[in-house]
Amino acid sequence: MAHITLRVLHGADRGRIFSEIPTPVTIGREEGNTIQLNDERISRYHLKLQDDKDKIVLTDLESTNGTKVNGEDIQVRIVRHGDMISVGRSLLLIGSHSDIDRRIAAIAANLPAAQEGRAKQMRERLERIATHQSDVIEDLAEVRSPLLPGGPPPLPERLGPAQTAELAEFIDYVQGILREATEGAVMRPGNETVELDFAHWQVMLELQARLAGLLRSISEPS
């Protein structure tokens, strides 16, 4: 029996994590599902995830509004760690940090010699964020390497109501931009690269520029 972790990136249930759930898993808005999501655009029994020969197979259960995996409409699809499932207004990410790191390491290990430069960059990326907090051993570099080591820094303590509301608005703004960009991304089956259109790419660069400016203004107040 395979187990699967799902993290809700967007929707009414965003921020929820369903860790190491044994398959088969059904997702829908009814109580009888393994995962019940609060989303009126999701069908009562929307989709099913099941293990078959060490692969996780996603099947859309003839839902009203359909299911997308990595930006493409699907009926049935093998899914892997790091894939995104879009149902209704909700967006789910498959896998824990460690699960996704294992996939990145496997991709780097299997790139052809002609793409050794790309493989090296991926290995160096993992090495730069190596930490003892991970339970992943990257075979090529033999380092512990979560993609997001230790999670985000702690939020400020003892915020007033207005400060809390302002911080929530700012985080929601950033999350909304990232959501729009990721929902426009597409990863074709059998291809380990993600296609992002130019407009969404520019939006992400603009966000990065604004965050850089914000950090500068905080560190150098007038």
Side-chain angles (χ1 to χ4, degrees):
M1 178 189 300
H3 292 70
I4 190 168
T5 294
L6 295 167
R7 291 179 277 166
V8 184
L9 303 184
H10 180 63
D13 295 285
R14 70 178 179 184
R16 294 184 68 185
I17 300 175
F18 303 92
S19 298
E20 293 296 312
I21 302 175
T23 53
V25 173
T26 59
I27 298 175
R29 69 172 193 268
E30 288 284 307
E31 290 185 2
N33 288 279
T34 314
I35 295 176
Q36 181 186 14
L37 295 178
N38 182 23
D39 188 332
E40 73 278 5
R41 291 183 60 82
I42 292 177
S43 296
R44 292 171 59 246
Y45 292 90
H46 197 104
L47 65 85
K48 182 178 183 179
L49 293 159
Q50 60 189 343
D51 176 32
D52 184 39
K53 298 179 181 178
D54 297 325
K55 292 180 172 61
I56 300 297
V57 180
L58 184 154
T59 304
D60 181 89
L61 301 176
E62 298 183 359
S63 64
T64 301
N65 294 309
T67 301
K68 290 185 177 181
V69 172
N70 297 328
E72 290 194 313
D73 293 309
I74 63 96
Q75 181 60 42
V76 60
R77 173 70 59 82
I78 293 174
V79 293
R80 302 168 177 84
H81 297 137
D83 286 348
M84 292 188 302
I85 303 172
S86 179
V87 288
R89 292 188 172 90
S90 301
L91 186 66
L92 295 85
L93 178 65
I94 301 176
S96 65
H97 300 313
S98 297
D99 291 333
I100 295 171
D101 286 337
R102 290 188 182 94
R103 184 179 180 188
I104 293 173
I107 292 171
N110 292 317
L111 285 174
Q115 298 188 45
E116 174 58 27
R118 180 174 164 226
K120 182 180 179 181
Q121 288 180 345
M122 295 175 71
R123 292 195 295 267
E124 289 176 348
R125 165 65 176 165
L126 292 172
E127 290 174 15
R128 282 197 300 270
I129 56 177
T131 175
H132 66 281
Q133 298 178 42
S134 176
D135 62 354
V136 179
I137 300 296
E138 207 281 280
D139 293 335
L140 298 173
E142 295 186 351
V143 294
R144 298 180 181 274
S145 53
L147 189 60
L148 295 172
L155 293 174
E157 297 180 357
R158 295 185 295 276
L159 293 177
Q163 291 174 314
T164 300
E166 289 172 346
L167 180 61
E169 286 182 356
F170 177 75
I171 293 174
D172 191 58
Y173 165 76
V174 173
Q175 200 268 347
I177 291 176
L178 295 175
R179 180 189 73 241
E180 182 178 353
T182 53
E183 287 182 342
V186 174
M187 185 167 72
R188 312 293 179 188
N191 187 355
E192 301 295 356
T193 59
V194 177
E195 298 175 6
L196 189 65
D197 66 53
F198 185 74
H200 285 122
W201 172 243
Q202 291 301 311
V203 168
M204 294 187 70
L205 292 180
E206 176 63 23
L207 174 61
Q208 184 176 354
R210 291 193 179 193
L211 291 176
L214 179 61
L215 287 171
R216 185 176 183 85
S217 67
I218 291 173
S219 62
E220 299 179 358
S222 55

